[in-house]
Amino acid sequence: MAKKKQQSGGTPATVALTAAGVTYTVHAYEHDPAHPSYGEEAAEAMGVSPERVFKTLVADVDGVLTVAVVPVAGQLDLKALATAVSGKRASMADPTLAERTTGYVRGGISPLGQRRKLRTVLDASADAHATICVSAGRRGLEVELSPADLTSLTGAVRAPIARA
């Protein structure tokens, strides 16, 4: 996997990756606003298994915004997320608040380069793959990197937070 040079017009996520000197690949595809699932659309467009494409969700755990990164093939287990960060109760965050806090739009929220860095939990299934894909900060743009690099850059906790 080759490191991509940052081009003008990059996203905060790709800028953060370049600044960190991390090896990554950018995958761009034509986003279809009519597609029912951003993540499944990305997997289909890139020809990548849905188990390797991860979606970024923002939840509220005991009043603290928390990022959950889970495979698009599964769903977030809110109880497991709360447990992973020693919380009691988790619910999905208000989409407007998630957008304002991260600096990204829904469907393009990246765990990288957020306006305000949020605590992050990466589903343990990421460990089964040499590389995974996450949003690069806008719809139709994904970044592929190692789970170890994603964990390091986000300070993520790894835990089983997804269910089929």
Side-chain angles (χ1 to χ4, degrees):
M1 179 169 46
K3 182 170 28 171
K4 291 278 188 173
K5 293 223 182 236
Q6 183 60 40
Q7 300 170 2
S8 62
T11 67
T14 59
V15 168
L17 287 165
T18 300
V22 170
T23 299
Y24 67 97
T25 303
V26 173
H27 299 277
Y29 60 92
E30 192 64 38
H31 167 62
D32 176 5
H35 200 288
S37 166
Y38 297 120
E40 289 174 12
E41 176 191 25
E44 291 167 10
M46 295 185 306
V48 174
S49 163
E51 289 78 25
R52 280 190 50 229
V53 179
F54 283 62
K55 57 189 169 187
T56 306
L57 304 170
V58 181
D60 179 317
V61 181
D62 299 334
V64 178
L65 290 182
T66 303
V67 171
V69 185
V70 297
V72 300
Q75 291 185 331
L76 172 61
D77 181 334
L78 288 165
K79 265 190 175 170
L81 176 64
T83 299
V85 294
S86 301
K88 294 183 182 192
R89 186 176 178 284
S91 60
M92 294 308 297
D94 173 71
T96 303
L97 179 60
E99 290 179 344
R100 191 172 49 242
T101 304
T102 64
Y104 294 116
V105 297
R106 198 169 55 134
I109 294 178
S110 177
L112 301 156
Q114 296 174 354
R115 181 178 291 149
R116 191 176 103 210
K117 188 175 179 178
L118 300 175
R119 69 180 173 184
T120 302
V121 181
L122 174 60
D123 185 64
S125 68
D127 293 333
H129 310 287
T131 61
I132 60 172
C133 298
V134 296
S135 175
R138 69 174 179 254
R139 296 171 188 152
L141 196 66
E142 295 281 311
V143 64
E144 181 178 352
L145 73 165
S146 75
D149 285 339
L150 181 61
T151 298
S152 175
L153 291 171
T154 60
V157 170
R158 283 181 163 146
I161 59 168
R163 61 175 182 234

